[in-house]
Amino acid sequence: MAIDTGGTFTDIAVNRPDNSVFVWKVPSTPHAPDEAVIAGLTEALSEVAAHPHEVAHFVHGTTVATNTVITRTGARVGLVTTDGFRDLLAIGHQTRPSLYDQTARRPHPLAPAELTWEVRERLAADGSELTPVDQAQLAEVTSQIRAAEPDVVVVSLLNAYVNPAHEHEIVEVLRKAGVARSVFAATSVTSEMREYERTSTAVLNGYVQPKIAGYLDRLDKRLSQVGVPARLWVMQSNGGLLGSRVAQEQSVRTVLSGLAGGVVGAARWARQLDLPSVVSIDIGGTSTDIALIRNGVPDEMTAGEIEGYPLRMPMVDVHTIGAGGGSIAWQDSGDSLRVGPHSAGARPGPVCYGQGGTDITVTDAHALLGRLGDSLLDGRLPLDLPVARHRLSEFARKVGLGDTETAAGILHVVNATMGRGIRKVSIERGVDLRQCTLMAFGGAGPLHASELIRELGMRAAVVPPHPGIASAVGMLDTPVRHDFARSVSAMDASELPSVSAALDSLAAQARDFLADSEGISPADAVIERAVDARYLGQSFELRVAWTDDFAELRRAFDTIHEEHYGFCDPDAALEIVTARVTVTAAWQEQHVEPHRTTGGVPEAVGRRRAHFDGEWYDTPVYRREQVPAHARLTGPLVLHQLDSTTVICPGQACWHDEHGFLHIHPEEAR
């Protein structure tokens, strides 16, 4: 089983013994996410006539860490740093959030000045000791920390990424003194160069750790109480799984937990369908997550940020925008129609959900344009269309448009926002959108896919069999993964042996960690080695697969640099700065959707008026599961299923392949 907690719904995917997948949805419970998880597990198992003790593998994608940062409800974090560097987080680096906005400000450090302490010690850039830890002063600092009563204490010292001895020494003293419930070294979270990013990542870990640890511990106990024997695995930001205990210690690795599952699934489907260039778009209730997938591999990054706070760790490269089914339509000071980024959320939700919502949303627009019918979730969620129509009329009068024009305008505006996001991960990276396929999922993804590929000139769209549960389905086959890195320095072939030795050491560390912390035999693991390199003088690096042939490394780097930036510099010196090892272990063979039977075009289950391109059409409605493989349907039409609704515009056609993937393309092309 895999359960993914979203802002509006909690999604459940069950991989049954016959390799078929059953999907289910329940409303999320933001105040206590584990309530929806347990409710979803219980209901889904009941639907497939199974018992909790039959669950052999359990995966969870959570938004607890993300929401903790967004809502600023994390722990009181104390920071211990090298004497003279107490303002490191406040100063940051020279990057400005908005160059020409004089009012732009960085977010306040999560470890405030009053909870920051300095210790006299110093390591040189090569890790050699210049000044030992001043034990007398450390004793004074320890007393001050104990008096301040922080929840978590992070120790991050200058140049500790080369030699963590001083960090570990101070951590040991503070732990023995019991200054906080959790005390850890920044190098235990990330041991790469760049003090600001490394310290920020460690502080973020401390900030979300109590919330994540408490939540996962509570969920572990509840799963045991209902009789689930399987170990709890948690989705992490790099697209792999980690055990619950490790997640409680290195909680920052779950910051992008939920959205990573969909990208991992989309990458696997891209490989299965042999699609070389794919843009995945996951449209939920609050946001849209967009990723570029090349040759079945999603783009990754080794550094990013959340809410303005730098993160230094591998993660799937996802561009998130504030546009989704629950995005609220509003009028700005210039009387222009705007949509998002604020959302109606899970409660009260869109007006048509009948839960007290008063603001017109994207979902309301779809419903009032005839695209959703009178219920969702196979009738479990009736839609209150009269109330939504009344609220739309009020909003339309305010905007100065007709009801239909306003609803269509809302969709046009939100599609334009999504289109900009798609261009950002493709055209701005030198990728021709005309050669890309759009992989659309999330509860609202299939509602927008048809119009998006037409507006952007993309070759086609693909909707997976269970689009509204795609993140959970993607998690079913996700392997356990851990990343290890160490800063190195090499500029020619003579220095490569030291890099190779660092990689060997990291590989041994990876095997030991997998066995000791995750209980997985190293024999079941796959280890990949890579290095981060750059032209001498550059500020940032690109990852290159490892080889001990320097000339080959140089050729590979030049090729990757040209792909990313449009040029390479054959005359520049190459500098290797980081050694990386990734260890993965799959728990089972990847599942494949059962073959669909072939046949002719099925009978429509109904017809209704739906609005497309400025006109109302008498539109057939089909049950998606009733459409056989290779039966070709032409738009306009609507396909309903439990977890989502797919819309096909006029001038387009669609068909299912033998595994149930829906392909959408211009009517004349196939």
Side-chain angles (χ1 to χ4, degrees):
M1 294 188 72
I3 298 185
D4 177 43
T5 300
T8 306
F9 291 104
T10 292
D11 303 334
I12 302 95
V14 183
N15 195 8
R16 292 179 283 203
D18 64 359
N19 218 22
S20 63
V21 174
F22 172 80
V23 298
W24 197 247
K25 274 181 175 285
V26 297
S28 292
T29 50
H31 64 286
D34 52 304
E35 291 185 7
V37 172
I38 298 301
L41 178 144
T42 305
E43 291 182 22
L45 290 178
S46 176
E47 290 291 323
V48 299
H51 299 282
H53 65 78
E54 298 178 69
V55 178
H57 185 67
F58 188 87
V59 182
H60 182 38
T62 173
T63 57
V64 170
T66 310
N67 292 339
T68 298
V69 178
I70 291 173
T71 59
R72 301 294 193 274
T73 54
R76 294 180 70 246
V77 182
L79 173 64
V80 176
T81 189
T82 300
D83 189 26
F85 287 83
R86 66 175 297 125
D87 295 320
L88 175 67
L89 292 180
I91 294 172
H93 47 45
Q94 65 181 0
T95 302
R96 297 293 177 262
S98 182
L99 188 59
Y100 300 107
D101 183 357
Q102 297 182 19
T103 64
R105 295 290 184 272
R106 283 200 186 96
H108 294 293
L110 296 178
E114 63 271 19
L115 292 179
T116 300
W117 295 271
E118 298 172 304
V119 172
R120 283 192 289 274
E121 63 79 40
R122 194 62 178 262
L123 298 173
D126 62 359
S128 60
E129 185 177 75
L130 297 176
T131 305
V133 176
D134 186 327
Q135 297 296 332
Q137 193 237 355
L138 177 58
E140 295 177 10
V141 167
T142 301
S143 298
Q144 294 169 9
I145 296 173
R146 188 188 295 110
E149 298 183 336
D151 299 317
V152 178
V153 174
V154 177
V155 180
S156 182
L157 306 178
L158 188 67
N159 295 325
Y161 67 91
V162 184
N163 178 5
H166 282 189
E167 280 192 357
H168 292 164
E169 180 181 346
I170 294 173
V171 165
E172 186 66 22
V173 170
L174 296 180
R175 282 179 177 171
K176 286 183 178 179
V179 298
R181 287 176 292 178
S182 175
V183 180
F184 62 86
T187 47
S188 68
V189 179
T190 178
S191 55
E192 298 180 45
M193 65 178 184
R194 295 194 174 90
E195 300 301 329
Y196 172 50
E197 288 84 350
R198 185 171 66 89
T199 303
S200 172
T201 303
V203 168
L204 272 166
N205 187 73
Y207 190 72
V208 302
Q209 189 183 67
K211 280 281 186 75
I212 284 287
Y215 170 68
L216 292 179
D217 183 63
R218 187 167 66 249
L219 180 58
D220 247 333
K221 291 176 180 176
R222 296 197 65 178
L223 288 171
S224 179
Q225 289 170 359
V226 299
V228 174
R231 182 179 180 182
L232 171 60
W233 293 97
V234 181
M235 193 73 192
Q236 57 177 321
S237 305
N238 64 9
L241 303 181
L242 75 167
S244 172
R245 187 181 66 80
V246 179
Q248 292 180 44
E249 296 172 355
Q250 300 194 9
S251 306
V252 73
R253 298 188 183 278
T254 68
V255 164
L256 302 181
S257 173
L259 58 86
V263 177
V264 170
R268 182 171 66 81
W269 300 323
R271 294 192 297 271
Q272 181 180 338
L273 299 174
D274 197 24
L275 299 174
S277 298
V278 168
V279 175
S280 72
I281 183 166
D282 180 359
I283 307 177
T286 304
S287 63
T288 293
D289 303 315
I290 308 168
L292 178 64
I293 299 167
R294 313 186 217 204
N295 298 315
V297 179
D299 280 8
E300 287 192 10
M301 53 186 177
T302 56
E305 67 173 38
I306 177 170
E307 292 291 293
Y309 298 109
L311 274 172
R312 189 71 180 172
M313 60 177 52
M315 60 189 81
V316 291
D317 191 353
V318 179
H319 177 58
T320 300
I321 57 177
S327 293
I328 294 171
W330 54 287
Q331 193 175 25
D332 66 16
S333 58
D335 294 334
S336 295
L337 177 62
R338 303 283 297 277
V339 181
H342 38 296
S343 170
R347 294 288 186 276
V351 177
C352 63
Y353 282 9
Q355 297 173 348
T358 58
D359 295 311
I360 290 295
T361 67
V362 172
T363 298
D364 294 311
H366 279 298
L368 296 173
L369 292 177
R371 302 181 179 193
L372 291 180
D374 56 8
S375 67
L376 297 175
L377 301 179
D378 282 351
R380 290 164 53 210
L381 179 59
L383 300 182
D384 194 338
L385 298 182
V387 172
R389 190 170 292 112
H390 174 70
R391 292 295 300 160
L392 176 67
S393 295
E394 291 181 341
F395 181 68
R397 285 195 296 271
K398 181 180 177 182
V399 175
L401 298 173
D403 292 4
T404 301
E405 289 177 296
T406 301
I410 290 171
L411 298 189
H412 182 75
V413 170
V414 78
N415 283 337
T417 302
M418 294 172 183
R420 285 194 297 273
I422 292 172
R423 292 186 183 96
K424 189 171 185 65
V425 305
S426 54
I427 293 174
E428 292 187 18
R429 298 180 188 177
V431 176
D432 187 351
L433 259 183
R434 295 169 297 181
Q435 304 303 316
C436 291
T437 300
L438 186 69
M439 185 80 71
F441 50 91
L447 282 167
H448 294 267
S450 182
E451 290 178 329
L452 285 172
I453 62 170
R454 185 174 60 181
E455 293 179 14
L456 296 170
M458 301 180 74
R459 61 193 301 267
V462 173
V463 180
H466 311 288
I469 317 286
S471 288
V473 173
M475 292 177 192
L476 287 174
D477 304 320
T478 300
V480 176
R481 170 177 167 174
H482 288 282
D483 297 281
F484 300 84
R486 180 179 301 171
S487 292
V488 296
S489 179
M491 294 185 63
D492 56 42
S494 67
E495 296 177 313
L496 285 190
S498 64
V499 179
S500 182
L503 288 167
D504 289 342
S505 175
L506 289 173
Q509 181 184 347
R511 295 188 190 96
D512 291 344
F513 183 88
L514 208 61
D516 298 340
S517 298
E518 302 291 32
I520 296 175
S521 169
D524 298 326
V526 175
I527 291 181
E528 298 178 2
R529 304 177 186 217
V531 293
D532 290 355
R534 63 190 181 188
Y535 293 132
L536 187 63
Q538 286 185 320
S539 299
F540 296 97
E541 307 81 38
L542 293 172
R543 183 183 297 190
V544 184
W546 167 249
T547 173
D548 57 8
D549 184 328
F550 192 82
E552 188 175 338
L553 265 177
R554 176 60 191 253
R555 284 192 295 270
F557 178 82
D558 287 342
T559 299
I560 294 172
H561 195 280
E562 189 162 16
E563 288 176 355
H564 278 74
Y565 301 116
F567 76 98
C568 63
D569 187 352
D571 298 324
L574 183 67
E575 180 184 22
I576 298 171
V577 297
T578 306
R580 295 189 181 278
V581 162
T582 297
V583 58
T584 57
W587 80 278
Q588 69 162 22
E589 293 295 322
Q590 293 183 339
H591 83 275
V592 176
E593 292 288 333
H595 283 267
R596 278 186 176 235
T597 57
T598 58
V601 176
E603 290 291 326
V605 296
R607 305 187 74 89
R608 63 170 176 263
R609 292 177 73 242
H611 190 271
F612 300 93
D613 304 330
E615 297 183 33
W616 288 94
Y617 290 81
D618 180 30
T619 305
V621 179
Y622 299 90
R623 290 293 306 179
R624 183 176 171 184
E625 60 268 23
Q626 295 175 1
V627 178
H630 303 294
R632 188 170 186 268
L633 302 174
T634 58
L637 63 92
V638 175
L639 293 163
H640 279 314
Q641 61 189 106
L642 167 71
D643 52 299
S644 188
T645 297
T646 304
V647 168
I648 311 297
C649 293
Q652 293 179 324
C654 66
W655 58 280
H656 274 129
D657 63 25
E658 59 271 21
H659 293 299
F661 290 89
L662 183 71
H663 299 254
I664 306 170
H665 51 80
E667 188 172 354
E668 66 277 6
R670 182 179 173 183

